[in-house]
Amino acid sequence: MKNIWHILIVDDEEVMCESMAAWLREDGYRVDTAPNGRKAVELAQAADYAIYFIDLKMPGGMDGIDTMMEIRRIRPEASIIIITAYATVDTAIQAMKEGAQEYIVKPCNPQEISLLVSRILKLKKLQRENAILRKKISRQYHHHDLITKNARMEDILSLARDISSLRSTVLIRGASGTGKELVARAIHYSGDRAARPFVTVSCAALTETLLESELFGYEKGAFTGAGAQTRGKFELANGGTIFLDEIGDISPKLQADLLRVLQERCFYRVGGSEEVRVDARVIAATNKDLAQLVAEGKFRDDLYYRLNVIEIRIPPLRERREDIPLLVEHFVEKLAHELGKEVSGISEGAMKLLLDYDWPGNVRELENAIERAIVTCRNGKLQESDFSSLEGSIGRNQPWQVPDLPLAELERQAIVAALERKSGNVKEAAAALGIDRSTLYDKLKRYEIPR
Amino acid sequence: MSALYVVAVGAVPPKPLEWIEAAAAEWFPLPVARLPALRMPERAYDPARGQYHSVEILKAVARAAPANTTRILGVTEVDLAIPVLTFLFGQAQLDGPVAVVSLCRLRQEFYGLPADEALLRERAAKEALHELGHTFGLTHCSDTRCSMSLSTDIALVDAKGGRYCPRCGAHLVRRFAALDGEQS
Ligand SMILES: [Zn+2]
Ligand SMILES: [Zn+2]
């Protein structure tokens, strides 16, 4: 589930508060606003905000610095960002000395502020996750969602324990959704690096230049928007483990950079000329056949051999079907609690459906299917109809059985399933159902879109 | 009958409006209709910055919404900003009925390049879907191919796709089918 961070904006100008709040809400944060320092302090006493944006110049008793000092007294952990105009930059620099984490000069460009917020929150998330996991590890060796009674998986977990305190690079292979990151975490948290950071980077999600600065950090002014020197994931993982997911997708340039880090344990920040040394264990993962990519000349062989010191292959879920009931039970319990819904279990029919399904998206798909089923579930127990989105792909091995439901409900489910398969695209869903768009509108109209 | 309205704020040529309407009709199960263009609200202009306050434009669009509005998207040629940010491609009320999108920085001419109609069409559709997605409760998506991923410059607009990812799509479908238990 997405972690919802709370942010407080303190500014005497309403339009400033509201427009910035609206912008941050689009990013998924929960945002409150306060028109003055007194109100801000009151709110900070009642709720714990991850970030405070405070305008430097505010009329009345408390200016930005006073407000900041007061909030820091109540919430020493708070990250405070001072908002200032050009004319008052000197005072903002003063504010940094008093404990503000950053300042921004308005107007600043959207990328700068978005990077700033996500950088602060990533660090907070890391600190929080590591604190929670450390507590859990010290109690007992326990891997959340790594539940299994499959012999191959048990071998993998015991291998993970055996290699946990080595420094060797590990390459984890497996289709997407098989739990590669969980195995990487298991290795990290059962070894002698457990108390140090575990840092994750998804290499496929970013463009080459973004990934480069994500991994290695950058110097102030290295590119537009590089407002301050920033540490990359390798530095954040110092002493701990860096998990490089989807390693098969990185560009030749980054392959070369990565090879250098593995060989020499040092690198340069983007735009920097000073060598940075790190001690981070590298665990890489991929759903691609790296040996094949090497043969095709798309992946450097020297890097491949450096990464592939220890190789772990995780089987797809359809090859460990005996784990499905255990996983279902675990996800129902966990997700019902997170989503705040009362769901006690799953019907026999629904369980059979899950056991028969092929799970191309593996454990993650199972988790998502259960999350979605819990959301739609109406009577406290998951039914076959709550898994309607899966049914399309079922039935290769057995005839499809029409559920015992009113025609209108069958039609509704068929429409919802078609829309979901097309990511919500009405034109494509109508074409797949063999009806025209206006017919689809009419059929959907009885489930009038809420305003 | 409820509808999704598109309305120009200030002068906007007909073509981009048509493109945006076509994209909206492709993704939302609602009749899409055009309202007569609105005059640019005078107080939206900030002479010091030579830009327009997006909040004022959102307000004007909201005032123009007919009673049967499900969602209303303002389209403008002017450069949008808010006090803390140098510019915005658009802005929306999260989960609310109103959004606005600006064509200004989607045009190649803004960057001193020759006009490119096909590119403008792609960009306008992406950003219109993005802002409308917000009005249906979607927040920014970490899938960089998804229209709901945040673009803070034009290169990122071009890098992302003109579709919603399956996860964002599923949220919309739940929303359209009025299933309960929806989360934002
Ligand atoms: Zn957005
Ligand atoms: Zn998405």
Side-chain angles (χ1 to χ4, degrees), chain A residues 22-23 25-27, chain B residues 90-92 127 130-131 134 138-141 147-151 160:
Chain A
W23 193 73
R25 282 181 193 124
E26 290 180 4
D27 232 358
Chain B
Q91 194 169 32
E127 289 308 300
H130 180 99
E131 297 308 334
H134 281 316
L138 286 172
T139 55
H140 290 145
C141 180
S147 289
M148 287 315 295
S149 69
L150 170 64
S151 310
K160 72 182 172 185

Side-chain angles (χ1 to χ4, degrees), chain A residues 1-2 4 13 15-29 53 83 104-114 204-207 210 339 341 368 371-372 375-378 412 415-428 437 440-442 444-451, chain B residues 1-2 22 24-32 49 53-56 66-71 82-88 90-95 97 130-131 134 136 138-140 142 144 150-153 156 159 163-170 172-184:
Chain A
M1 281 282 93
K2 192 165 176 186
I4 298 185
E13 276 178 87
V15 53
M16 161 64 220
C17 275
E18 279 316 311
S19 59
M20 190 171 181
W23 193 73
L24 288 166
R25 282 181 193 124
E26 290 180 4
D27 232 358
Y29 305 118
F53 282 95
I83 305 172
I104 54 174
V105 179
K106 69 184 167 187
C108 77
N109 77 48
Q111 183 181 28
E112 193 180 327
I113 195 162
S114 150
L206 300 170
T207 59
L210 280 177
L339 297 168
K341 283 197 67 162
N368 289 342
E371 180 183 339
R372 204 177 306 169
V375 167
T376 60
C377 177
R378 287 160 201 257
R412 189 185 70 83
I415 291 172
V416 169
L419 279 165
E420 282 189 341
R421 277 195 291 275
K422 302 295 178 193
S423 292
N425 187 299
V426 177
K427 185 177 162 191
E428 293 168 10
R437 251 188 278 179
L440 185 64
Y441 295 170
D442 289 343
L444 273 174
K445 213 184 311 162
R446 85 183 76 128
Y447 326 111
E448 184 71 26
I449 299 175
R451 286 190 58 152
Chain B
M1 195 162 97
S2 62
E26 188 169 321
W27 285 90
F28 304 105
L30 282 165
V32 175
R49 293 178 56 173
H53 288 297
S54 71
V55 175
E56 292 300 332
N68 69 345
T69 300
T70 299
R71 293 295 182 269
I82 59 175
V84 258
L85 295 178
T86 47
F87 76 94
L88 291 170
Q91 194 169 32
Q93 283 179 324
L94 190 67
D95 241 333
H130 180 99
E131 297 308 334
H134 281 316
F136 285 107
L138 286 172
T139 55
H140 290 145
S142 55
T144 50
L150 170 64
S151 310
T152 48
D153 62 35
L156 288 171
R163 298 179 66 87
Y164 297 108
C165 72
R167 205 185 162 86
C168 291
L172 292 175
V173 174
R174 283 209 291 266
R175 193 65 187 251
F176 300 146
L179 298 176
D180 60 9
E182 165 172 295
Q183 338 119 55
S184 50

Side-chain angles (χ1 to χ4, degrees), chain A residues 326-342:
Chain A
L326 291 173
L327 288 164
V328 168
E329 187 190 353
H330 167 71
F331 288 138
V332 169
E333 195 181 312
K334 176 179 108 173
L335 297 171
H337 176 73
E338 281 180 11
L339 297 168
K341 283 197 67 162
E342 291 278 335

Side-chain angles (χ1 to χ4, degrees), chain A residues 367-399:
Chain A
E367 182 172 7
N368 289 342
I370 288 175
E371 180 183 339
R372 204 177 306 169
I374 289 173
V375 167
T376 60
C377 177
R378 287 160 201 257
N379 67 356
K381 199 165 189 184
L382 303 182
Q383 306 293 335
E384 281 151 273
S385 59
D386 294 322
F387 294 96
S388 54
S389 56
L390 294 177
E391 285 170 24
S393 3
I394 286 180
R396 253 167 295 150
N397 359 359
Q398 55 189 159

Side-chain angles (χ1 to χ4, degrees), chain A residues 44-56:
Chain A
Q45 263 154 351
D48 190 10
Y49 296 92
I51 299 182
Y52 296 78
F53 282 95
I54 303 175
D55 191 31
L56 193 58

